[in-house]
Amino acid sequence: MHSVVQTVTDRIIARSQQSRSNYLSALNDAKAKGVHRSALSCGNLAHGFAACQPAEKESLRQLTKANIGIVTAFNDMLSAHQPYETYPNMLKQACMDVGSVAQVAAGVPAMCDGVTQGQPGMELSLLSREVIAMSTAVGLSHNMFDGALLLGICDKIVPGLLIGALSFGHLPMLFVPAGPMKSGIPNKEKARVRQQFAQGKVDRAALLEAESKSYHSAGTCTFYGTANSNQLMLEVMGLQLPGSSFVNPDDPLRDELSKMAAKQVCRLTSMGTQYTPIGEVVNEKSVVNGIVALLATGGSTNLTMHIVAIARAAGIIVNWDDFSDLSAAVPLLARVYPNGHADINHFHAAGGMALLVKELLDGGLIHEDVNTVAGYGLRRYTQEPRIIDGELKWVEGVTESLDKEVLTHLDSPFQSNGGLTLLKGNLGRAVIKVSAVPAGNRIIEAPAVVINDQNEIDALFKSGSLDRDCVVVVKGQGPKANGMPELHKLTPFLGTLQDKGFRVALVTDGRMSGASGKVPAAIHLTPEALDGGLIAKVQDGDMIRIDATTGELTLLVDEKTLANRTAGIVDLHHSAYGMGRELFGALRRSLSSPETGARSTSAIDELY
């Protein structure tokens, strides 16, 4: 193993010793109780199988066959999840084919950040992770199930499903992806039209035409945002079948992989031959594997929050120092938009997950000795699925990249580190992803332009007041303030300023997520403004220094001046509160810290 990877793994194990021990103790207690349906009263059990077919009822009555719960995030507004409409019946039949039973245990909400981007609903986006986690736990709480299939792909949905699933860590569970849509217009062209619209050079009709050619069919968006980062993370953590992440929805291989996932989870139950609970698949080594793979591919900054929270749900304590130290040691092996011109389909065609896992294993950058849903050992994830003579089989993946501009090898990385840096200074701690930021733009020292809402940037841009070097500071965007919405409305404007030759950057206690691009962005700043963070005192004209090469984030204002300032925070609770102020407030207060994964004390904690 690479010495840094081993050192970080060892300190996570040491740091988590008590909390992981407590988690595994609870998991083992649950395992010892055997098939939980046996504890149900006759009335309980009758309710649980009342709607089943006679043969299924008999199986569940006699406790002789596994019952698999399906937790689905289907809706047909979200393109990535639209294919899930037909999955339950397909998965039920696949379970029946191996002598088991399956029931839909729960449906969870699945909002699309692409639809809510820059809209009031975005304030509910991060909160939805907690709702999904609770909904997953509620669905699995009936003691009817011996395993589960988790149907989710995007943004907060996968982390929510996984956090909820880990509260039933004694059950085996597999994620079942649905795949990305086929490639539309190049992402670079889409970004160009967005900037032209921001500059007033094209009209809304031209913008909509470009967007429609980019997001054009069922399937996951093809850029390397949080959705595809989720899929890559799940596969490297051994939580879905090898090579299943990026097969298109209409490919015949897609259905065969989904059917195999259903059959495999039956084998992994305590009634099968390979009992493997999810709480043992997710351990310190698999968490490190997920982090390393994301760093090696320039994955979504959202995962710097989600992995921390996911790990906490399994009794594992991870922090941003772990991400930063690993990033310094892990080279960048993939360039997928916004880190390059290619999309996720190009990555898959170039060698995809099998080649990536091989490179990382051969370089000692990820742990091979882990449990996975496909069996023990991560080396099996260097294989890729094929339909051969009508049967699903796994064959060895390619050993050489088929497009070295998209996926490269350890001996010729795109850069020597993963491009994620922890920033520290008097403003607090933040993360910055620089895998897409030109080297000359990674150090910025410029006066602040302070706004309290991303919508304010439009007027500033049109007035010409941003035509200069500046650091745009967006305060009051943290999880406790307004749910920590993504701030992508800023991207076309800041990108245009950068193209004009101005040195610009962003500092915020909000998010930019997987589409963080060429503009340096210090995000997830903690403590947030509402928690007394110094960002609340930043004023227009204050000099700010961001150095992504050394990890510096400094407000260049003397302490005496700052001591005499009062915090300037605007209450922006104008939209999501209208959906239920008391409920929204309670959920908002329960959100995990972006850095520690620790939640505020609330009723939500009772579930985990």
Side-chain angles (χ1 to χ4, degrees), residues 135-178:
S135 300
T136 302
V138 169
L140 296 173
S141 68
H142 297 89
N143 283 344
M144 282 290 295
F145 305 110
D146 305 291
L149 293 166
L150 307 172
L151 278 56
I153 295 172
C154 293
D155 297 288
K156 318 316 160 287
I157 300 154
V158 161
L161 287 168
L162 187 46
I163 291 168
L166 287 167
S167 62
F168 289 81
H170 63 289
L171 298 179
M173 303 192 203
L174 270 79
F175 276 83
V176 185

mmCIF file of all heavy atoms in Angstrom, residues 135-178:
data_model
loop_
_atom_site.group_PDB
_atom_site.id
_atom_site.type_symbol
_atom_site.label_atom_id
_atom_site.label_comp_id
_atom_site.label_asym_id
_atom_site.label_seq_id
_atom_site.Cartn_x
_atom_site.Cartn_y
_atom_site.Cartn_z
ATOM 1 N N SER A 135 -36.722 8.000 5.256
ATOM 2 C CA SER A 135 -37.695 7.221 4.486
ATOM 3 C C SER A 135 -37.189 5.798 4.230
ATOM 4 O O SER A 135 -37.962 4.833 4.286
ATOM 5 C CB SER A 135 -37.976 7.907 3.141
ATOM 6 O OG SER A 135 -38.491 9.206 3.334
ATOM 7 N N THR A 136 -35.890 5.683 3.957
ATOM 8 C CA THR A 136 -35.296 4.359 3.769
ATOM 9 C C THR A 136 -35.406 3.538 5.040
ATOM 10 O O THR A 136 -35.800 2.358 5.017
ATOM 11 C CB THR A 136 -33.819 4.493 3.360
ATOM 12 O OG1 THR A 136 -33.737 5.266 2.165
ATOM 13 C CG2 THR A 136 -33.180 3.139 3.131
ATOM 14 N N ALA A 137 -35.066 4.167 6.163
ATOM 15 C CA ALA A 137 -35.147 3.467 7.445
ATOM 16 C C ALA A 137 -36.577 3.070 7.776
ATOM 17 O O ALA A 137 -36.826 1.966 8.273
ATOM 18 C CB ALA A 137 -34.570 4.358 8.551
ATOM 19 N N VAL A 138 -37.527 3.948 7.485
ATOM 20 C CA VAL A 138 -38.933 3.618 7.720
ATOM 21 C C VAL A 138 -39.340 2.406 6.889
ATOM 22 O O VAL A 138 -40.006 1.476 7.374
ATOM 23 C CB VAL A 138 -39.836 4.827 7.405
ATOM 24 C CG1 VAL A 138 -41.305 4.416 7.375
ATOM 25 C CG2 VAL A 138 -39.626 5.933 8.435
ATOM 26 N N GLY A 139 -38.927 2.385 5.621
ATOM 27 C CA GLY A 139 -39.291 1.278 4.748
ATOM 28 C C GLY A 139 -38.731 -0.051 5.203
ATOM 29 O O GLY A 139 -39.356 -1.108 5.017
ATOM 30 N N LEU A 140 -37.538 -0.017 5.807
ATOM 31 C CA LEU A 140 -36.896 -1.256 6.240
ATOM 32 C C LEU A 140 -37.245 -1.634 7.679
ATOM 33 O O LEU A 140 -36.776 -2.654 8.179
ATOM 34 C CB LEU A 140 -35.370 -1.114 6.105
ATOM 35 C CG LEU A 140 -34.857 -0.915 4.673
ATOM 36 C CD1 LEU A 140 -33.352 -0.627 4.694
ATOM 37 C CD2 LEU A 140 -35.161 -2.127 3.807
ATOM 38 N N SER A 141 -38.060 -0.830 8.327
ATOM 39 C CA SER A 141 -38.313 -1.007 9.763
ATOM 40 C C SER A 141 -39.354 -2.066 10.091
ATOM 41 O O SER A 141 -39.614 -2.322 11.261
ATOM 42 C CB SER A 141 -38.756 0.333 10.376
ATOM 43 O OG SER A 141 -40.036 0.707 9.874
ATOM 44 N N HIS A 142 -39.941 -2.702 9.071
ATOM 45 C CA HIS A 142 -41.043 -3.632 9.324
ATOM 46 C C HIS A 142 -40.593 -5.026 9.749
ATOM 47 O O HIS A 142 -41.424 -5.883 10.045
ATOM 48 C CB HIS A 142 -41.912 -3.748 8.060
ATOM 49 C CG HIS A 142 -42.575 -2.473 7.668
ATOM 50 N ND1 HIS A 142 -41.970 -1.557 6.825
ATOM 51 C CD2 HIS A 142 -43.769 -1.944 8.015
ATOM 52 C CE1 HIS A 142 -42.782 -0.524 6.661
ATOM 53 N NE2 HIS A 142 -43.877 -0.732 7.369
ATOM 54 N N ASN A 143 -39.282 -5.269 9.763
ATOM 55 C CA ASN A 143 -38.742 -6.598 10.093
ATOM 56 C C ASN A 143 -39.267 -7.686 9.163
ATOM 57 O O ASN A 143 -39.354 -8.857 9.546
ATOM 58 C CB ASN A 143 -39.047 -6.970 11.553
ATOM 59 C CG ASN A 143 -38.126 -6.266 12.526
ATOM 60 O OD1 ASN A 143 -37.096 -5.741 12.141
ATOM 61 N ND2 ASN A 143 -38.514 -6.238 13.789
ATOM 62 N N MET A 144 -39.572 -7.295 7.947
ATOM 63 C CA MET A 144 -40.065 -8.255 6.957
ATOM 64 C C MET A 144 -38.955 -8.722 6.006
ATOM 65 O O MET A 144 -39.138 -9.667 5.260
ATOM 66 C CB MET A 144 -41.184 -7.621 6.116
ATOM 67 C CG MET A 144 -42.541 -7.543 6.794
ATOM 68 S SD MET A 144 -43.311 -9.158 7.002
ATOM 69 C CE MET A 144 -43.599 -9.665 5.293
ATOM 70 N N PHE A 145 -37.792 -8.066 6.035
ATOM 71 C CA PHE A 145 -36.841 -8.239 4.948
ATOM 72 C C PHE A 145 -35.521 -8.873 5.391
ATOM 73 O O PHE A 145 -35.028 -8.631 6.497
ATOM 74 C CB PHE A 145 -36.569 -6.891 4.282
ATOM 75 C CG PHE A 145 -37.824 -6.215 3.816
ATOM 76 C CD1 PHE A 145 -38.285 -5.071 4.439
ATOM 77 C CD2 PHE A 145 -38.566 -6.753 2.774
ATOM 78 C CE1 PHE A 145 -39.463 -4.462 4.016
ATOM 79 C CE2 PHE A 145 -39.736 -6.157 2.344
ATOM 80 C CZ PHE A 145 -40.198 -5.010 2.973
ATOM 81 N N ASP A 146 -34.974 -9.670 4.488
ATOM 82 C CA ASP A 146 -33.682 -10.324 4.716
ATOM 83 C C ASP A 146 -32.569 -9.651 3.915
ATOM 84 O O ASP A 146 -31.396 -10.021 4.057
ATOM 85 C CB ASP A 146 -33.785 -11.793 4.294
ATOM 86 C CG ASP A 146 -34.920 -12.503 5.002
ATOM 87 O OD1 ASP A 146 -34.810 -12.702 6.221
ATOM 88 O OD2 ASP A 146 -35.926 -12.817 4.342
ATOM 89 N N GLY A 147 -32.912 -8.717 3.081
ATOM 90 C CA GLY A 147 -31.961 -7.978 2.266
ATOM 91 C C GLY A 147 -32.708 -6.891 1.531
ATOM 92 O O GLY A 147 -33.944 -6.791 1.633
ATOM 93 N N ALA A 148 -31.973 -6.065 0.800
ATOM 94 C CA ALA A 148 -32.635 -4.959 0.099
ATOM 95 C C ALA A 148 -31.900 -4.604 -1.181
ATOM 96 O O ALA A 148 -30.690 -4.792 -1.309
ATOM 97 C CB ALA A 148 -32.733 -3.726 0.998
ATOM 98 N N LEU A 149 -32.667 -4.090 -2.132
ATOM 99 C CA LEU A 149 -32.149 -3.515 -3.368
ATOM 100 C C LEU A 149 -32.478 -2.029 -3.337
ATOM 101 O O LEU A 149 -33.631 -1.643 -3.109
ATOM 102 C CB LEU A 149 -32.799 -4.178 -4.581
ATOM 103 C CG LEU A 149 -32.443 -5.647 -4.777
ATOM 104 C CD1 LEU A 149 -33.395 -6.310 -5.784
ATOM 105 C CD2 LEU A 149 -31.000 -5.806 -5.243
ATOM 106 N N LEU A 150 -31.463 -1.196 -3.541
ATOM 107 C CA LEU A 150 -31.606 0.250 -3.420
ATOM 108 C C LEU A 150 -31.527 0.877 -4.799
ATOM 109 O O LEU A 150 -30.522 0.737 -5.497
ATOM 110 C CB LEU A 150 -30.514 0.807 -2.510
ATOM 111 C CG LEU A 150 -30.416 0.131 -1.130
ATOM 112 C CD1 LEU A 150 -29.191 0.611 -0.382
ATOM 113 C CD2 LEU A 150 -31.674 0.382 -0.311
ATOM 114 N N LEU A 151 -32.591 1.564 -5.194
ATOM 115 C CA LEU A 151 -32.710 2.135 -6.540
ATOM 116 C C LEU A 151 -32.575 3.645 -6.457
ATOM 117 O O LEU A 151 -33.533 4.356 -6.124
ATOM 118 C CB LEU A 151 -34.056 1.765 -7.166
ATOM 119 C CG LEU A 151 -34.190 0.375 -7.818
ATOM 120 C CD1 LEU A 151 -33.849 -0.740 -6.859
ATOM 121 C CD2 LEU A 151 -35.606 0.184 -8.363
ATOM 122 N N GLY A 152 -31.379 4.143 -6.720
ATOM 123 C CA GLY A 152 -31.149 5.579 -6.684
ATOM 124 C C GLY A 152 -29.813 5.905 -7.304
ATOM 125 O O GLY A 152 -28.890 5.084 -7.310
ATOM 126 N N ILE A 153 -29.670 7.119 -7.832
ATOM 127 C CA ILE A 153 -28.480 7.506 -8.579
ATOM 128 C C ILE A 153 -27.967 8.888 -8.171
ATOM 129 O O ILE A 153 -26.795 9.074 -7.897
ATOM 130 C CB ILE A 153 -28.780 7.501 -10.101
ATOM 131 C CG1 ILE A 153 -29.088 6.070 -10.570
ATOM 132 C CG2 ILE A 153 -27.621 8.084 -10.900
ATOM 133 C CD1 ILE A 153 -29.586 5.986 -11.994
ATOM 134 N N CYS A 154 -28.838 9.870 -8.146
ATOM 135 C CA CYS A 154 -28.416 11.275 -8.187
ATOM 136 C C CYS A 154 -28.110 11.885 -6.828
ATOM 137 O O CYS A 154 -28.534 11.391 -5.790
ATOM 138 C CB CYS A 154 -29.486 12.106 -8.891
ATOM 139 S SG CYS A 154 -29.655 11.730 -10.641
ATOM 140 N N ASP A 155 -27.386 12.972 -6.896
ATOM 141 C CA ASP A 155 -27.112 13.944 -5.849
ATOM 142 C C ASP A 155 -27.294 13.437 -4.429
ATOM 143 O O ASP A 155 -26.569 12.598 -3.955
ATOM 144 C CB ASP A 155 -27.949 15.204 -6.124
ATOM 145 C CG ASP A 155 -27.534 15.835 -7.441
ATOM 146 O OD1 ASP A 155 -26.445 16.407 -7.486
ATOM 147 O OD2 ASP A 155 -28.277 15.712 -8.426
ATOM 148 N N LYS A 156 -28.333 13.902 -3.721
ATOM 149 C CA LYS A 156 -28.511 13.543 -2.308
ATOM 150 C C LYS A 156 -29.157 12.175 -2.152
ATOM 151 O O LYS A 156 -29.275 11.664 -1.047
ATOM 152 C CB LYS A 156 -29.397 14.571 -1.586
ATOM 153 C CG LYS A 156 -29.140 16.030 -1.901
ATOM 154 C CD LYS A 156 -27.694 16.396 -1.928
ATOM 155 C CE LYS A 156 -27.473 17.677 -2.700
ATOM 156 N NZ LYS A 156 -27.623 17.536 -4.132
ATOM 157 N N ILE A 157 -29.582 11.571 -3.243
ATOM 158 C CA ILE A 157 -30.405 10.363 -3.169
ATOM 159 C C ILE A 157 -29.583 9.151 -2.766
ATOM 160 O O ILE A 157 -29.945 8.417 -1.836
ATOM 161 C CB ILE A 157 -31.146 10.152 -4.500
ATOM 162 C CG1 ILE A 157 -32.045 11.366 -4.777
ATOM 163 C CG2 ILE A 157 -31.981 8.873 -4.472
ATOM 164 C CD1 ILE A 157 -32.347 11.623 -6.226
ATOM 165 N N VAL A 158 -28.451 8.940 -3.422
ATOM 166 C CA VAL A 158 -27.578 7.824 -3.046
ATOM 167 C C VAL A 158 -27.067 7.978 -1.618
ATOM 168 O O VAL A 158 -27.163 7.024 -0.825
ATOM 169 C CB VAL A 158 -26.422 7.678 -4.049
ATOM 170 C CG1 VAL A 158 -25.276 6.864 -3.455
ATOM 171 C CG2 VAL A 158 -26.926 7.018 -5.330
ATOM 172 N N PRO A 159 -26.528 9.137 -1.208
ATOM 173 C CA PRO A 159 -26.103 9.254 0.190
ATOM 174 C C PRO A 159 -27.245 9.017 1.173
ATOM 175 O O PRO A 159 -27.053 8.361 2.205
ATOM 176 C CB PRO A 159 -25.584 10.690 0.278
ATOM 177 C CG PRO A 159 -25.169 11.019 -1.108
ATOM 178 C CD PRO A 159 -26.161 10.328 -1.999
ATOM 179 N N GLY A 160 -28.444 9.538 0.873
ATOM 180 C CA GLY A 160 -29.578 9.325 1.764
ATOM 181 C C GLY A 160 -29.953 7.858 1.881
ATOM 182 O O GLY A 160 -30.181 7.335 2.976
ATOM 183 N N LEU A 161 -30.023 7.170 0.737
ATOM 184 C CA LEU A 161 -30.316 5.737 0.752
ATOM 185 C C LEU A 161 -29.275 4.977 1.561
ATOM 186 O O LEU A 161 -29.608 4.089 2.360
ATOM 187 C CB LEU A 161 -30.347 5.196 -0.675
ATOM 188 C CG LEU A 161 -31.551 5.553 -1.552
ATOM 189 C CD1 LEU A 161 -31.262 5.183 -3.009
ATOM 190 C CD2 LEU A 161 -32.813 4.843 -1.068
ATOM 191 N N LEU A 162 -28.007 5.319 1.378
ATOM 192 C CA LEU A 162 -26.942 4.578 2.044
ATOM 193 C C LEU A 162 -26.914 4.856 3.545
ATOM 194 O O LEU A 162 -26.708 3.937 4.348
ATOM 195 C CB LEU A 162 -25.597 4.935 1.395
ATOM 196 C CG LEU A 162 -24.363 4.149 1.830
ATOM 197 C CD1 LEU A 162 -24.619 2.656 1.881
ATOM 198 C CD2 LEU A 162 -23.190 4.467 0.912
ATOM 199 N N ILE A 163 -27.143 6.096 3.940
ATOM 200 C CA ILE A 163 -27.194 6.422 5.366
ATOM 201 C C ILE A 163 -28.340 5.663 6.033
ATOM 202 O O ILE A 163 -28.181 5.066 7.111
ATOM 203 C CB ILE A 163 -27.333 7.939 5.577
ATOM 204 C CG1 ILE A 163 -26.046 8.656 5.167
ATOM 205 C CG2 ILE A 163 -27.670 8.266 7.031
ATOM 206 C CD1 ILE A 163 -26.175 10.167 5.064
ATOM 207 N N GLY A 164 -29.515 5.672 5.395
ATOM 208 C CA GLY A 164 -30.646 4.930 5.949
ATOM 209 C C GLY A 164 -30.391 3.437 5.973
ATOM 210 O O GLY A 164 -30.724 2.745 6.946
ATOM 211 N N ALA A 165 -29.778 2.913 4.907
ATOM 212 C CA ALA A 165 -29.501 1.479 4.827
ATOM 213 C C ALA A 165 -28.546 1.035 5.924
ATOM 214 O O ALA A 165 -28.699 -0.059 6.491
ATOM 215 C CB ALA A 165 -28.919 1.143 3.456
ATOM 216 N N LEU A 166 -27.576 1.866 6.250
ATOM 217 C CA LEU A 166 -26.585 1.481 7.260
ATOM 218 C C LEU A 166 -27.178 1.396 8.660
ATOM 219 O O LEU A 166 -26.570 0.792 9.551
ATOM 220 C CB LEU A 166 -25.401 2.447 7.229
ATOM 221 C CG LEU A 166 -24.477 2.271 6.024
ATOM 222 C CD1 LEU A 166 -23.513 3.441 5.889
ATOM 223 C CD2 LEU A 166 -23.710 0.951 6.114
ATOM 224 N N SER A 167 -28.352 1.970 8.864
ATOM 225 C CA SER A 167 -29.018 1.788 10.153
ATOM 226 C C SER A 167 -29.636 0.399 10.255
ATOM 227 O O SER A 167 -30.114 0.011 11.327
ATOM 228 C CB SER A 167 -30.068 2.878 10.382
ATOM 229 O OG SER A 167 -31.079 2.825 9.401
ATOM 230 N N PHE A 168 -29.617 -0.352 9.167
ATOM 231 C CA PHE A 168 -29.999 -1.770 9.146
ATOM 232 C C PHE A 168 -28.807 -2.561 8.593
ATOM 233 O O PHE A 168 -28.926 -3.341 7.657
ATOM 234 C CB PHE A 168 -31.248 -1.976 8.284
ATOM 235 C CG PHE A 168 -32.491 -1.427 8.916
ATOM 236 C CD1 PHE A 168 -32.781 -0.074 8.824
ATOM 237 C CD2 PHE A 168 -33.343 -2.245 9.639
ATOM 238 C CE1 PHE A 168 -33.913 0.453 9.429
ATOM 239 C CE2 PHE A 168 -34.477 -1.732 10.251
ATOM 240 C CZ PHE A 168 -34.769 -0.377 10.157
ATOM 241 N N GLY A 169 -27.650 -2.317 9.207
ATOM 242 C CA GLY A 169 -26.400 -2.822 8.683
ATOM 243 C C GLY A 169 -26.261 -4.326 8.687
ATOM 244 O O GLY A 169 -25.348 -4.868 8.054
ATOM 245 N N HIS A 170 -27.165 -5.052 9.387
ATOM 246 C CA HIS A 170 -27.101 -6.511 9.405
ATOM 247 C C HIS A 170 -27.702 -7.133 8.155
ATOM 248 O O HIS A 170 -27.579 -8.346 7.948
ATOM 249 C CB HIS A 170 -27.850 -7.050 10.627
ATOM 250 C CG HIS A 170 -29.311 -6.725 10.616
ATOM 251 N ND1 HIS A 170 -29.784 -5.440 10.811
ATOM 252 C CD2 HIS A 170 -30.406 -7.505 10.417
ATOM 253 C CE1 HIS A 170 -31.103 -5.448 10.745
ATOM 254 N NE2 HIS A 170 -31.505 -6.688 10.515
ATOM 255 N N LEU A 171 -28.316 -6.315 7.309
ATOM 256 C CA LEU A 171 -28.924 -6.823 6.081
ATOM 257 C C LEU A 171 -27.974 -6.628 4.896
ATOM 258 O O LEU A 171 -27.326 -5.579 4.786
ATOM 259 C CB LEU A 171 -30.233 -6.090 5.779
ATOM 260 C CG LEU A 171 -31.362 -6.213 6.810
ATOM 261 C CD1 LEU A 171 -32.578 -5.412 6.353
ATOM 262 C CD2 LEU A 171 -31.742 -7.673 7.037
ATOM 263 N N PRO A 172 -27.887 -7.586 3.992
ATOM 264 C CA PRO A 172 -27.152 -7.359 2.741
ATOM 265 C C PRO A 172 -27.957 -6.456 1.821
ATOM 266 O O PRO A 172 -29.189 -6.564 1.762
ATOM 267 C CB PRO A 172 -27.004 -8.763 2.154
ATOM 268 C CG PRO A 172 -28.160 -9.520 2.694
ATOM 269 C CD PRO A 172 -28.424 -8.960 4.068
ATOM 270 N N MET A 173 -27.279 -5.571 1.118
ATOM 271 C CA MET A 173 -27.974 -4.650 0.217
ATOM 272 C C MET A 173 -27.099 -4.357 -0.997
ATOM 273 O O MET A 173 -25.878 -4.262 -0.881
ATOM 274 C CB MET A 173 -28.321 -3.342 0.921
ATOM 275 C CG MET A 173 -29.165 -3.522 2.169
ATOM 276 S SD MET A 173 -29.840 -1.967 2.790
ATOM 277 C CE MET A 173 -30.138 -2.398 4.511
ATOM 278 N N LEU A 174 -27.736 -4.217 -2.140
ATOM 279 C CA LEU A 174 -27.066 -3.816 -3.374
ATOM 280 C C LEU A 174 -27.732 -2.578 -3.935
ATOM 281 O O LEU A 174 -28.957 -2.437 -3.875
ATOM 282 C CB LEU A 174 -27.157 -4.907 -4.451
ATOM 283 C CG LEU A 174 -26.054 -5.954 -4.522
ATOM 284 C CD1 LEU A 174 -26.266 -7.000 -3.448
ATOM 285 C CD2 LEU A 174 -26.049 -6.606 -5.887
ATOM 286 N N PHE A 175 -26.921 -1.695 -4.499
ATOM 287 C CA PHE A 175 -27.466 -0.600 -5.297
ATOM 288 C C PHE A 175 -27.649 -1.085 -6.726
ATOM 289 O O PHE A 175 -26.837 -1.845 -7.249
ATOM 290 C CB PHE A 175 -26.529 0.603 -5.266
ATOM 291 C CG PHE A 175 -26.710 1.487 -4.065
ATOM 292 C CD1 PHE A 175 -26.095 1.169 -2.859
ATOM 293 C CD2 PHE A 175 -27.507 2.616 -4.136
ATOM 294 C CE1 PHE A 175 -26.264 1.969 -1.744
ATOM 295 C CE2 PHE A 175 -27.690 3.431 -3.026
ATOM 296 C CZ PHE A 175 -27.069 3.106 -1.822
ATOM 297 N N VAL A 176 -28.728 -0.629 -7.335
ATOM 298 C CA VAL A 176 -29.050 -1.014 -8.713
ATOM 299 C C VAL A 176 -29.102 0.256 -9.555
ATOM 300 O O VAL A 176 -30.084 1.008 -9.496
ATOM 301 C CB VAL A 176 -30.396 -1.758 -8.789
ATOM 302 C CG1 VAL A 176 -30.651 -2.252 -10.212
ATOM 303 C CG2 VAL A 176 -30.430 -2.926 -7.810
ATOM 304 N N PRO A 177 -28.060 0.553 -10.324
ATOM 305 C CA PRO A 177 -28.059 1.768 -11.148
ATOM 306 C C PRO A 177 -28.916 1.594 -12.391
ATOM 307 O O PRO A 177 -29.323 0.483 -12.727
ATOM 308 C CB PRO A 177 -26.588 1.931 -11.520
ATOM 309 C CG PRO A 177 -26.046 0.547 -11.513
ATOM 310 C CD PRO A 177 -26.808 -0.205 -10.443
ATOM 311 N N ALA A 178 -29.192 2.695 -13.066
ATOM 312 C CA ALA A 178 -29.957 2.647 -14.319
ATOM 313 C C ALA A 178 -29.158 3.183 -15.496
ATOM 314 O O ALA A 178 -29.584 3.057 -16.634
ATOM 315 C CB ALA A 178 -31.259 3.429 -14.177
#
